[in-house]
Amino acid sequence: MTMDQNLINSFFSVPDESGCFGKFGGRFVSETLMPLILDLEEEYNRAKDDESFWNQMDYLWKHYVGRPSPLYFAERLTDYLGGARIYFKRDELNHTGAHKINNVLGQILLAMRMGKTRIIAETGAGQHGVATATVCARFGLPCIVYMGTHDVERQAPNVFRMKLLGAEVVPVTSGRGTLKDAMNDALRDWVTNVNNTFYCIGTVAGPHPYPAMVRDFQSIIGKETKSQMMEMEGRLPDTLIAAIGGGSNAMGLFHPFLDDRSVDIIGVEAGGKGVDETMQHCASLTGGRPGVLHGNRTYLLQDLDGQILEGFSISAGLDYPGIGPEHSWLHETGRASYVSITDEEALQAFQVCCEQEGIIPALEPCHALAHVMKITGDLPKDHIICMNMCGRGDKDIFTVARALGIEMASSD
Ligand SMILES: Cc1ncc(COP(=O)(O)O)c(C=O)c1O
């Protein structure tokens, strides 16, 4: 049931002390992991109030990542669609090609503050794995990345990049060999190596404090967008749109705007082959119900017995049967709305973006773009839409070629 968002004083009041966003979130972990989670929470709370921590983050964001990322008026696309003014927040221009590094920097600095000497991560599209391998190389830390075998195959360029950066990539064969399975194995590693190991989670999922901590690190996206939009348009955008795998780039864009009630917020899930027609999708909010996975309570794709279903999406980064708990809460409060976009619609958006804007996008933000394309024409010309271009498409060209039936070597 949708709650009335007017009953909520501030959307910044979550999570509570136990890490809950309303009835979502929390920490459902084994006894072995509990002391680690508590240590991490303590260290994060200390770092949050430590100016030197944020100075270090600001320095690295600026000089290593290349922040602030530009806010770009997509003029040709706006003309082409003939409606609202479309802006892209260009997080695909970050070092390593996606938003993932914003959060990885924060977590690796925390790991070093905690004296951890071994970093593990899970990855789907490989962007979080590449970001983690990159920052580990930068600080001389060993890095182990768990990745499902299906993703190893479809995101081969990123597997090679991680190896070049000195990381060990561990292929995970269980399930469908996607992000859920990689996260299961990373959690197993963490339980086994609790003393020296830091688990660098790539999205706003996992047990508390991860969802809030990752959101806080990614909120740089929304903070920059707010001030850039004021500079360029003299006002806030009317609509924010972002794609959702676990939900970190979306939470990063949305969070600083949550109390600005005039701003309409839309998250876009992966509709795969169709949410109504098939079970082959990853739309956890549209097609799932609440349950517990990877240490938190949230909306999940599951069968009648509560067994987690395998998701499906052309985009490896969105191929996760859950969603960060804060999104579940925003969905239930009605503060944000969630829609889904099919593989086919995302592929169309991919081609339009290449041709109209000279930007080759990752398949993940193509889902957000496809929704922009769906609604823009019906909106007035002074309406402002801002979408997060959260990743670049180099990693996806093979998948796109296959899906479009194009021979890569062909000159057509
Ligand atoms: C480019 C890109 N966008 C989006 C995502 C989805 O993650 P999230 O929902 O946490 O932003 C991924 C995940 O790998 C990604 O690589």
Side-chain angles (χ1 to χ4, degrees):
M1 194 177 62
T2 302
M3 274 179 251
D4 183 353
Q5 55 171 289
N6 294 319
L7 297 175
I8 292 165
N9 285 332
S10 170
F11 283 87
F12 298 136
S13 62
V14 290
D16 64 15
E17 275 177 12
S18 51
C20 288
F21 303 85
K23 62 179 193 245
F24 302 104
R27 43 184 152 218
F28 297 82
V29 294
S30 64
E31 272 177 47
T32 334
L33 280 185
M34 201 57 179
L36 265 122
I37 297 281
L38 294 175
D39 277 357
L40 172 61
E41 185 184 12
E42 207 175 294
E43 190 58 49
Y44 179 53
N45 285 336
R46 250 197 307 271
K48 254 199 313 199
D49 297 331
D50 181 349
E51 210 182 310
S52 69
F53 176 78
W54 291 109
N55 287 342
Q56 206 178 357
M57 286 291 284
D58 286 342
Y59 179 86
L60 290 164
W61 270 337
K62 182 171 176 188
H63 298 284
Y64 194 61
V65 176
R67 303 208 72 90
S69 66
L71 182 68
Y72 167 72
F73 174 49
E75 196 176 344
R76 283 228 325 136
L77 187 65
T78 297
D79 286 348
Y80 175 77
L81 296 171
R85 293 167 70 73
I86 302 163
Y87 279 84
F88 294 162
K89 177 62 173 161
R90 302 285 308 273
D91 254 53
E92 98 279 12
L93 294 177
N94 294 339
H95 180 38
T96 69
H99 62 294
K100 296 287 181 183
I101 196 164
N102 301 331
N103 156 55
V104 168
L105 271 177
Q107 289 198 48
I108 299 295
L109 292 188
L110 278 182
M112 290 190 294
R113 284 168 74 108
M114 294 173 78
K116 302 293 179 187
T117 52
R118 177 176 178 268
I119 307 296
I120 60 170
E122 85 295 328
T123 199
Q127 289 301 134
H128 175 62
V130 167
T132 309
T134 298
V135 180
C136 283
R138 165 67 182 75
F139 288 103
L141 290 163
C143 175
I144 295 101
V145 181
Y146 290 90
M147 188 170 191
T149 42
H150 182 50
D151 292 338
V152 166
E153 195 188 311
R154 62 177 158 169
Q155 304 282 236
N158 274 346
V159 176
F160 188 53
R161 286 165 85 198
M162 285 184 268
K163 288 183 178 167
L164 287 174
L165 292 159
E168 181 190 344
V169 180
V170 183
V172 175
T173 52
S174 54
R176 245 187 78 235
T178 57
L179 186 55
K180 163 179 74 70
D181 313 301
M183 203 155 176
N184 285 342
D185 274 26
L187 279 163
R188 260 192 286 276
D189 177 318
W190 201 22
V191 174
T192 319
N193 301 289
V194 282
N195 289 329
N196 66 347
T197 297
F198 186 97
Y199 181 13
C200 182
I201 296 186
T203 192
V204 284
H208 179 62
Y210 281 100
M213 181 175 73
V214 175
R215 171 201 74 194
D216 292 347
F217 291 141
Q218 289 293 2
S219 289
I220 186 72
I221 301 172
K223 285 179 195 156
E224 286 176 5
T225 302
K226 219 171 183 177
S227 69
Q228 290 166 323
M229 197 53 94
M230 291 308 292
E231 209 174 284
M232 292 175 79
E233 290 275 0
R235 69 178 183 89
L236 296 181
D238 299 294
T239 305
L240 297 176
I241 301 188
I244 300 207
S248 69
N249 85 86
M251 241 12 270
L253 176 66
F254 299 167
H255 193 254
F257 291 92
L258 288 179
D259 279 350
D260 299 304
R261 312 273 172 131
S262 67
V263 180
D264 194 21
I265 294 180
I266 305 173
V268 184
E269 299 190 294
K273 296 194 170 161
V275 178
D276 295 330
E277 308 80 12
T278 72
M279 288 302 289
Q280 291 187 291
H281 61 81
C282 279
S284 321
L285 284 177
T286 322
R289 62 193 162 85
V292 172
L293 179 69
H294 297 146
N296 69 92
R297 182 188 302 284
T298 191
Y299 271 77
L300 302 169
L301 299 180
Q302 51 190 311
D303 67 15
L304 291 174
D305 297 324
Q307 294 299 311
I308 303 304
L309 296 170
E310 300 294 346
F312 178 90
S313 169
I314 190 171
S315 148
L318 306 187
D319 204 340
Y320 181 64
I323 184 166
E326 192 163 6
H327 286 291
S328 294
W329 181 70
L330 292 175
H331 166 67
E332 289 217 345
T333 57
R335 176 62 189 100
S337 51
Y338 294 85
V339 296
S340 65
I341 281 292
T342 63
D343 288 356
E344 206 180 314
E345 292 169 319
L347 273 167
Q348 268 165 18
F350 179 96
Q351 293 167 87
V352 169
C353 190
C354 292
E355 287 162 14
Q356 294 296 321
E357 289 297 341
I359 294 172
I360 301 179
L363 282 169
E364 290 82 8
C366 286
H367 288 70
L369 185 58
H371 191 66
V372 169
M373 287 167 55
K374 232 180 215 181
I375 64 172
T376 298
D378 293 333
L379 292 168
K381 285 192 187 305
D382 61 351
H383 189 102
I384 301 173
I385 296 184
C386 176
M387 74 146 264
N388 197 11
M389 184 58 76
C390 57
R392 65 175 187 235
D394 322 25
K395 69 183 178 60
D396 290 322
I397 54 173
F398 304 101
T399 305
V400 171
R402 231 181 350 258
L404 299 178
I406 297 170
E407 185 72 52
M408 288 279 266
S410 148
S411 59
D412 298 338

